[in-house]
Amino acid sequence: MPDDIFQDALPPAQRTPRKRAFTERDRRTLHQRLTDCARNPDLYSLAEALPPPGRVGRRRGYPDVAFLFFLAARSVLASARRTAAHLEDPEIWRIFRSGVRNELGAETALLLPETGPTRSQWLHAQRRLRDHADDLWDLYRALALEQALEQGIFPENETRSWSNPGRHQLIAADGTVLKSPTLARAHRSIDMRTGEIRYHRIDAASAPQREGGGNQAYGPKYVFFSARRDENYLSRVFLDSRYVPHQHPGGEAAVAVDGVLDIMDAAPGCMGVLYDGAFRGTHREAIARRGGLVINKQHKGNEPQFYETLRPGRCIHELWAANGRIAEKVPHADGTTELIPVPMRRLERRGTRTYRWYHVLEIPCRRGAHTHRVPVGTTSRAGERPAGESDEERGFHRAEHLQQIPEFTRTHQLVYPYRSDAESGHSQLDASLWNGRLISYGVKAQKLLTLGFVLAQNSTSRALHEEGSPLLSPTA
C-alpha cells in the first residue's frame, strides 16, 4: 500500500535483523560498576533527603550515603554478604572514598572509616532506610527524569513525528513477577506422615501470578519504566518502578497507566509508551486523551466490527474496524467479500489539555478518491457528541478497535521492537539477584532492593554518557 503513511508490513523473510550483538566493549567490570555508583551524584542527593540522626544514642559509624552506596553495590554483587566482604577490602572501599572526595570534599572523605560497613551494620541501617523507601523513590523519580533529559531522552524542542516516533521519545514499560524469596505459602505446615508441625517464614508481598503466555508464577509483581537514546546496552535510564498489589483494581495495566501519565506530565518531550497486550482500549484511551501514543499489539479476541457506511454522492463505501484500522468491505464476483485496509494519509493530534486523535483516510473510488477523517484512540462519551452519536451510546469501543499506529504496518514493525528494552531490563534485574530470587521480604524491603538496582543501572548509564562514549546510530 504505497499511499499509506504507515506502509505495508513486511513478511518475516524480508525483514532485516536489527538487533546488535553483545560485544566486549559493552562489558563493564566490577571495579567500573562500583566506581559508577560511587560517583553518581543522585546517591548523595538521596542521602541529603534523609532526616539527620538524632542527638540521643550512639553516634553513627557511617553516614547515610555509605549505606546507599552499599544498597547500590548489593545490586552489583547480588547479596549483602558478598557486598560486605568486598567493602572490607581497603582497595574496594577506596572507590567509595574517592567518590565522596569528588562530591563532598576531602574533609568529609577523611572522616570515613578505613573499611566499609559490616553486614550486621547494613542490616541495622536497612531498617531505617525501609521506613523512608517511599520518600526515596519519590525523589529518585525526579532525579532519574532529570538524568534522562540530560542524556538527550525526551527532548522537548526536537521535531516530533507522531506517525514515526523515535526510540528516545518513548517509554518502554512492562510488568514482571520476581521470584518469591521463599517457596512457602503458609506460616505452618503439617507432615501428614509423622505429624510434625513446621513453621515457615512467608513473604506477604508474594502471590500467585499469571505471566504473559499463561505461565504461572509466585512472587510480587512490579512494573518498570525505562528509556534510552541509542542501542548501547548500558545506556538505559530507569525512570520508575511500581509495585502492583495483588487483586489491585485494574491490575498491572492500571498501575502502568498511572506511571506513564506521571512521566508524561513531567516530561513534555515524551511522546508515549511501548507496552504489551496487557493494555486494552481503556488503558490506551487514558493515555491518548492526555496526548500520548500507545504502541502495542491488538488483543487476539478482537473481531472485525462494522463501523459505518459512507454515501458521498453516488458512491457507497462500507467501512469496518479490523486489525486496529479502518478497512473497506469489498465484494468480489464470486460472491465473497474481503476487508481491504483503507490507505491513511496522516495521523493527526488535536487539542490542548484533552486531546483527540484522527486517521485521515483516502478511500479509493472509481469516481475519485474520498478524504475522510476517523477518530481513533479515544472512545467518545455521552455528551461529547450530539445525542445518539457518541461511541458510548452506539456501543462501539473505539479505543479497543482502532489503534493510533495499527499493528500490521511497517511503522509498527519498526517501532514496537523497542519494547524489548523492558524485557532486557527484567533480565538484568533477575541477574542481579542471588540465584535469581528475591532476597528481601515485604513490600518496603523489596522497594529498597529495586531502588538499589535502578541506582546501579543509572549510575553506569550516567558514567558512559559523561565519558563521551561514541553514541551508536539509533536503530531504524
Side-chain angles (χ1 to χ4, degrees), residues 253 276-289 294 296-307 320-326 359 375-380 391-392 395-408:
D276 59 15
F279 270 10
R280 300 294 298 271
T282 299
H283 314 111
R284 296 200 295 228
E285 178 181 5
I287 296 172
R289 283 182 177 270
V294 179
N296 74 331
K297 291 189 175 183
Q298 279 290 77
H299 193 265
K300 294 181 180 179
N302 266 0
E303 297 292 335
Q305 186 167 345
F306 173 75
Y307 181 68
W320 286 63
N323 295 325
R325 64 185 299 167
I326 292 295
H359 283 168
V376 297
T378 60
T379 303
S380 59
D391 295 328
E392 186 177 43
F396 179 66
H397 198 338
R398 187 180 300 271
E400 179 76 12
H401 293 281
L402 296 176
Q403 295 175 280
Q404 294 155 310
I405 298 180
E407 178 179 351
F408 299 101

Side-chain angles (χ1 to χ4, degrees), residues 51-276:
R55 302 179 63 181
V56 179
R58 184 178 178 181
R59 184 178 178 182
R60 294 181 187 173
Y62 295 88
D64 287 327
V65 68
F67 292 110
L68 287 174
F69 174 72
F70 192 108
L71 176 67
R74 186 181 68 170
S75 174
V76 176
L77 296 164
S79 75
R81 195 180 302 277
R82 287 187 64 192
T83 303
H86 277 75
L87 297 186
E88 285 180 2
D89 183 349
E91 292 294 325
I92 300 296
W93 182 242
R94 193 173 292 121
I95 295 174
F96 175 65
R97 298 186 67 175
S98 175
V100 172
R101 186 180 301 109
N102 291 336
E103 294 292 332
L104 303 179
E107 292 184 5
T108 305
L110 289 173
L111 297 176
L112 292 172
E114 294 299 319
T115 59
T118 63
R119 180 170 175 268
S120 61
Q121 289 172 317
W122 158 249
L123 293 176
H124 179 76
Q126 183 181 224
R127 292 197 294 269
R128 178 170 177 269
L129 293 178
R130 277 203 305 259
D131 294 337
H132 300 283
D134 290 334
D135 296 331
L136 290 172
W137 262 109
D138 289 341
L139 178 57
Y140 167 83
R141 293 181 181 106
L143 295 172
L145 185 57
E146 184 178 336
Q147 176 182 342
L149 296 175
E150 290 175 359
Q151 294 182 204
I153 300 171
F154 306 145
E156 185 174 357
N157 298 323
E158 185 173 306
T159 301
R160 296 187 287 183
S161 171
W162 295 110
S163 58
N164 188 24
R167 163 182 250 158
H168 61 294
Q169 297 170 316
L170 297 170
I171 305 166
D174 193 18
T176 184
V177 179
L178 304 177
K179 285 187 179 180
S180 172
T182 176
L183 296 177
R185 304 192 184 189
H187 287 286
R188 189 179 73 167
S189 65
I190 300 176
D191 189 322
M192 302 305 294
R193 185 174 60 86
T194 64
E196 179 186 2
I197 299 177
R198 297 175 180 173
Y199 295 91
H200 311 280
R201 184 182 182 184
I202 65 170
D203 177 33
S206 297
Q209 311 274 4
R210 184 181 295 274
E211 294 185 305
N215 299 325
Q216 293 288 338
Y218 183 72
K221 178 174 281 191
Y222 286 82
V223 180
F224 286 85
F225 308 80
S226 64
R228 62 176 174 174
R229 182 169 182 82
D230 56 78
E231 60 180 8
N232 190 320
Y233 278 92
L234 300 175
S235 66
R236 179 190 299 108
V237 177
F238 281 91
L239 304 167
D240 195 0
S241 170
R242 302 199 176 191
Y243 170 67
V244 182
H246 187 50
Q247 295 183 340
H248 178 74
E252 168 196 333
V255 173
V257 167
D258 291 340
V260 170
L261 294 179
D262 287 345
I263 295 173
M264 287 176 54
D265 289 343
C270 177
M271 294 178 62
V273 63
L274 298 152
Y275 214 86
D276 59 15

Side-chain angles (χ1 to χ4, degrees), residues 284-356:
R284 296 200 295 228
E285 178 181 5
I287 296 172
R289 283 182 177 270
R290 297 281 282 273
L293 287 169
V294 179
I295 303 170
N296 74 331
K297 291 189 175 183
Q298 279 290 77
H299 193 265
K300 294 181 180 179
N302 266 0
E303 297 292 335
Q305 186 167 345
F306 173 75
Y307 181 68
E308 66 177 339
T309 299
L310 287 183
R311 300 177 184 273
R314 298 166 57 190
C315 306
I316 298 178
H317 298 277
E318 186 176 328
L319 304 183
W320 286 63
N323 295 325
R325 64 185 299 167
I326 292 295
E328 183 177 5
K329 190 172 186 179
V330 178
H332 295 298
D334 59 0
T336 61
T337 59
E338 181 183 4
L339 293 178
I340 299 179
V342 177
M344 284 177 277
R345 304 296 293 177
R346 292 191 307 278
L347 171 63
E348 292 184 351
R349 186 183 78 154
R350 295 183 174 187
T352 51
R353 295 183 179 179
T354 300
Y355 293 87
R356 302 179 305 279

